[in-house]
Amino acid sequence: MRIPKKPVSFCFSLFSPDVFPPAFSSRIRLVSRAFTSSDSFHGKRRGVCFGGIKLLHSGYPMEESHGTIVSDMKSPRLRNTDCSSGGQEPCIWSSPEGGRKLDVIGKQIFCNRSLNMKNIVAVGFDMDYTLAQYKPETFESLAYEGTIKKLVYDLGYPRELLNWSFDWKYMVRGLVLDKKRGNILKMDRHKYVKVAYHGFKELSKEDKVSIYGSTLTRDAFDEPDYALIDTLFSLAEAYLFAQLVDFRDNNPGKVPDTTDYARMYRDVRAAVDLCHRDGTLKQMVAKDPKRYINEDTSIVPMLKMLRDSGRATFLVTNSLWDYTNIVMNFLCGARTMDGIRKCNFDWLQYFDVVITGSAKPGFFHDDSRANLFEVEPVSGMLLNTDNGSPMPQVGDTSPSFSVKGPNKSCRVFQGGNVGHLHKLLTIESSSQVLYVGDHIYGDILRSKKVLGWRTMLVVPELEQEVELLWKLRDTRKELRLLRNHRDLIEDKIHHLKWSLKFDDINEEEKRKLTSELDVLESEREQVRLSHQQAQRENHHKFHTVWGQLMKTGYQNSRFAHQVERFACLYTSQVSNLSLYSPDKYYRPSEDFMPHEFDIFM
């Protein structure tokens, strides 16, 4: 068993010894007893590795508004500073300036497998939901509204769907949709269903057991009968599916009998695909990127830092060139298509290779036959290549490419496969590549299992979850004590029942034991109810429906299990890389078996 990582263990190499007041320091020691003073200030970690940030005096000057800023070492308190919000200066690990505190809890990089950045020669990024973090309240609502219109106008669903609204906070990642039964499930790492809803109606424990726990063979919960909600893009369609399930159940005759739950899900997926194919979503984003995409002023200094450290950088995205150029212009220079400053190609200076229209996850298979075309940035024209090398046009004596803009060192392509990328970057070993993405299956699993790339998963929800874990650390201790107390009472009850059944005792002693047993059973029920209520309240503080993202009860959730298996590193946003040295050696915490836990923890 892998014991979940401790929620907070600060890397004290960031701080001087007098930064924390005694009370705060003692609370830290309660959470991570494995730290000693010598460990803290010399980078030796036994708890979760959040990076050893050292304040070196080598800044990264930025054009225009891209400044540098880090912690004010004189302040004894930890203050929240959103390093990604528009108008604020970016936080850089090596900046000599002070003035603001880093958000040291929510912006950590967490480590599952040792990764020495000195061995990494190329760092790659996905774009959508990795470099570009979309705002769910606007972008997901836009996707939802577009899907509804496609269902009504293209697929013949009732017009009253047009009056529906979208609660963008309701769904979370890591859920599983049961297409046949119309259920939405959250399960633990062992694939036991812990939370289940039919549409928006919660299933009882008995229903969950009868449907998913009383079969001769274990269900794999995979396609084609189930759909996995593993990307933020999928939240709107999951919510719409739940609405359709309720609508079908509560409105007999309005949905044809031939349209079962599975058919409704296929229709939702078809409508989503129509929205993407006709360009509805991307056209709206392109007109006003600021409305749909979070500004992050730390992205440019992060990319500069990696390049200045000698790493190659690349971008691999499924988006095509026209949309990629608009989004990257916004992220790297706040430029928009209709704004005062027009889109240009300055952002290409931060990359060696850009591959658009990559068709991941198929891109990660070296035997993929996808052709590799070079993109002429100004016109968007696709030019044939021979595995990335220029090819002359008929009648030309030598191959030539159009001018690519102010930065000619970066080449832009469409299609191809990972073999082409390795050749373009002259990569000798897949383990020399770190790839950062947001999709477990599309970005992380294939690149890790098929190629052996090192991986970092971006989990935006993590920032709020880690901060809440810190606030609720005492509640977690109380829950553990209640659970232990309940176990102790049950052991006493079992012992008394055994004595009453098998021991040779007189009637008086039997009455005494029976009375004691009644008291214990009453106490057990009280503790059970208290424990359940405390668990429920803790569950609701994270999310009123689905609870903690990385947990289901006392077990890691299915999503957490996937993160642990396939992501070498994980963090809340890609620009958190800018808070760490590009030569950082990330080290994981120690694994514990159940027989070790009480001894060492």
Side-chain angles (χ1 to χ4, degrees):
M1 181 179 86
R2 185 180 178 89
I3 299 300
K5 307 291 189 294
K6 300 173 190 176
V8 177
S9 301
F10 295 114
C11 224
F12 293 110
S13 57
L14 175 61
F15 305 105
S16 59
D18 60 345
V19 167
F20 293 105
F24 193 88
S25 301
S26 65
R27 290 202 296 271
I28 293 174
R29 285 194 294 271
L30 282 173
V31 177
S32 180
R33 302 187 188 97
F35 274 115
T36 65
S37 58
S38 61
D39 288 338
S40 302
F41 292 95
H42 293 86
K44 298 177 182 178
R45 286 161 298 280
R46 295 178 184 273
V48 177
C49 175
F50 300 132
I53 308 174
K54 298 181 181 179
L55 298 178
L56 303 183
H57 297 282
S58 58
Y60 292 91
M62 302 301 303
E63 297 95 344
E64 300 170 3
S65 62
H66 297 295
T68 55
I69 201 159
V70 289
S71 305
D72 176 7
M73 304 310 293
K74 297 179 182 179
S75 173
R77 294 184 179 272
L78 293 175
R79 295 180 306 210
N80 280 341
T81 297
D82 186 354
C83 301
S84 307
S85 60
Q88 289 189 348
E89 300 290 348
C91 300
I92 306 302
W93 75 284
S94 58
S95 171
E97 293 102 5
R100 290 180 188 164
K101 271 290 171 191
L102 300 180
D103 184 345
V104 293
I105 299 178
K107 297 186 185 300
Q108 306 288 355
I109 293 178
F110 304 90
C111 180
N112 286 320
R113 275 173 290 286
S114 295
L115 194 161
N116 189 348
M117 286 295 291
K118 287 185 177 181
N119 297 329
I120 300 299
V121 301
V123 182
F125 302 90
D126 179 35
M127 185 179 75
D128 298 311
Y129 273 117
T130 300
L131 289 173
Q133 283 297 327
Y134 292 92
K135 300 176 181 179
E137 64 272 26
T138 54
F139 182 78
E140 293 302 326
S141 296
L142 181 66
Y144 172 87
E145 291 164 6
T147 303
I148 286 279
K149 290 177 182 177
K150 299 296 183 186
L151 285 172
V152 173
Y153 296 125
D154 294 350
L155 298 176
Y157 276 73
R159 293 183 63 86
E160 55 198 280
L161 271 63
L162 296 171
N163 298 321
W164 288 1
S165 60
F166 174 51
D167 181 358
W168 60 271
K169 295 182 179 180
Y170 185 87
M171 292 295 177
V172 298
R173 274 201 287 184
L175 303 178
V176 176
L177 268 60
D178 184 339
K179 300 177 189 177
K180 293 194 302 183
R181 301 181 181 91
N183 297 338
I184 303 176
L185 318 173
K186 185 181 180 186
M187 56 189 67
D188 66 17
R189 66 191 183 104
H190 303 294
K191 295 187 177 181
Y192 288 108
V193 176
K194 297 295 186 178
V195 184
Y197 280 77
H198 179 76
F200 294 104
K201 179 183 177 183
E202 185 174 11
L203 297 182
S204 67
K205 182 178 180 180
E206 293 73 24
D207 288 337
K208 286 184 291 185
V209 171
S210 65
I211 298 171
Y212 301 108
S214 299
T215 57
L216 291 175
T217 57
R218 286 292 309 280
D219 200 324
F221 296 101
D222 289 327
E223 294 283 359
D225 294 330
Y226 297 89
L228 310 179
I229 307 302
D230 288 316
T231 71
L232 294 172
F233 278 118
S234 303
L235 301 186
E237 66 187 63
Y239 187 81
L240 181 51
F241 176 67
Q243 285 181 303
L244 287 171
V245 169
D246 274 6
F247 182 77
R248 183 181 186 276
D249 292 347
N250 299 326
N251 297 275
K254 288 193 175 182
V255 177
D257 292 339
T258 55
T259 305
D260 58 10
Y261 301 128
R263 173 61 185 272
M264 289 194 303
Y265 177 77
R266 289 197 300 271
D267 289 344
V268 170
R269 281 296 319 145
V272 171
D273 290 341
L274 283 172
C275 288
H276 285 284
R277 283 203 301 270
D278 67 10
T280 301
L281 299 180
K282 292 185 176 180
Q283 286 175 9
M284 294 297 292
V285 175
K287 288 179 181 178
D288 188 7
K290 190 172 183 178
R291 174 174 169 79
Y292 300 102
I293 303 174
N294 289 316
E295 294 180 77
D296 190 344
T297 55
S298 294
I299 286 178
V300 167
M302 174 199 69
L303 293 170
K304 278 192 169 187
M305 178 190 74
L306 291 172
R307 294 179 66 76
D308 289 349
S309 71
R311 272 82 178 179
T313 53
F314 64 92
L315 178 69
V316 177
T317 174
N318 285 352
S319 294
L320 297 178
W321 166 248
D322 55 349
Y323 184 72
T324 299
N325 188 41
I326 290 169
V327 172
M328 293 306 298
N329 262 274
F330 172 74
L331 291 174
C332 296
R335 289 178 171 84
T336 64
M337 206 162 52
D338 301 321
I340 297 174
R341 294 179 294 176
K342 299 296 182 181
C343 288
N344 59 36
F345 313 109
D346 290 351
W347 64 272
L348 291 174
Q349 66 186 290
Y350 306 122
F351 297 94
D352 294 276
V353 173
V354 171
I355 296 182
T356 62
S358 61
K360 294 178 295 182
F363 176 85
F364 294 121
H365 289 279
D366 198 13
D367 57 356
S368 169
R369 301 274 180 190
N371 291 325
L372 182 69
F373 299 97
E374 184 142 12
V375 178
E376 202 289 309
V378 176
S379 66
M381 182 183 296
L382 300 183
L383 305 171
N384 290 317
T385 72
D386 181 9
N387 291 323
S389 300
M391 290 180 64
Q393 303 297 308
V394 174
D396 291 344
T397 57
S398 62
S400 62
F401 289 96
S402 303
V403 176
K404 292 191 276 293
N407 181 63
K408 299 181 180 63
S409 62
C410 177
R411 299 177 66 187
V412 182
F413 297 91
Q414 178 174 311
N417 61 43
V418 71
H420 297 129
L421 179 64
H422 284 175
K423 181 180 177 182
L424 290 165
L425 294 172
T426 63
I427 299 296
E428 297 178 357
S429 170
S430 291
S431 63
Q432 295 175 317
V433 179
L434 172 65
Y435 188 65
V436 187
D438 71 292
H439 193 308
I440 283 284
Y441 288 98
D443 294 323
I444 303 302
L445 186 150
R446 293 291 181 89
S447 59
K448 180 68 179 174
K449 289 184 70 174
V450 176
L451 300 175
W453 280 4
R454 308 312 303 271
T455 54
M456 186 169 95
L457 182 71
V458 175
V459 187
E461 311 96 306
L462 189 65
E463 185 166 346
Q464 182 178 352
E465 180 139 322
V466 170
E467 291 171 352
L468 191 53
L469 277 171
W470 172 250
K471 293 176 183 177
L472 297 176
R473 61 196 181 281
D474 291 334
T475 301
R476 297 295 292 265
K477 294 175 185 176
E478 292 168 5
L479 282 169
R480 194 180 305 121
L481 290 174
L482 279 171
R483 193 184 193 202
N484 292 341
H485 185 43
R486 186 176 173 182
D487 287 341
L488 181 62
I489 293 173
E490 287 178 346
D491 286 343
K492 291 180 178 178
I493 289 173
H494 296 154
H495 187 270
L496 285 177
K497 284 184 175 180
W498 187 270
S499 296
L500 286 169
K501 187 174 183 179
F502 295 105
D503 290 353
D504 185 14
I505 54 178
N506 57 42
E507 287 300 318
E508 180 62 28
E509 185 67 19
K510 185 176 293 186
R511 280 194 296 271
K512 182 179 178 181
L513 291 179
T514 301
S515 177
E516 186 177 346
L517 179 62
D518 291 339
V519 171
L520 284 172
E521 287 182 334
S522 176
E523 184 180 357
R524 177 180 64 177
E525 182 63 15
Q526 292 175 3
V527 173
R528 184 186 70 84
L529 292 174
S530 298
H531 186 213
Q532 284 186 347
Q533 181 63 24
Q535 276 186 307
R536 191 176 296 109
E537 290 174 358
N538 187 68
H539 175 95
H540 289 164
K541 286 176 181 176
F542 288 92
H543 191 284
T544 54
V545 178
W546 306 107
Q548 192 176 337
L549 179 70
M550 297 288 187
K551 282 282 186 293
T552 50
Y554 287 94
Q555 294 287 309
N556 281 355
S557 65
R558 172 185 168 275
F559 181 72
H561 183 53
Q562 291 170 335
V563 172
E564 189 176 49
R565 287 180 64 193
F566 302 119
C568 301
L569 308 174
Y570 63 101
T571 190
S572 61
Q573 51 187 297
V574 66
S575 56
N576 292 344
L577 274 171
S578 67
L579 308 179
Y580 294 79
S581 165
D583 292 328
K584 168 73 189 155
Y585 197 137
Y586 296 93
R587 295 182 177 90
S589 64
E590 182 181 354
D591 289 348
F592 289 99
M593 292 289 288
H595 69 277
E596 300 174 301
F597 185 72
D598 288 333
I599 298 174
F600 296 117
M601 302 297 285

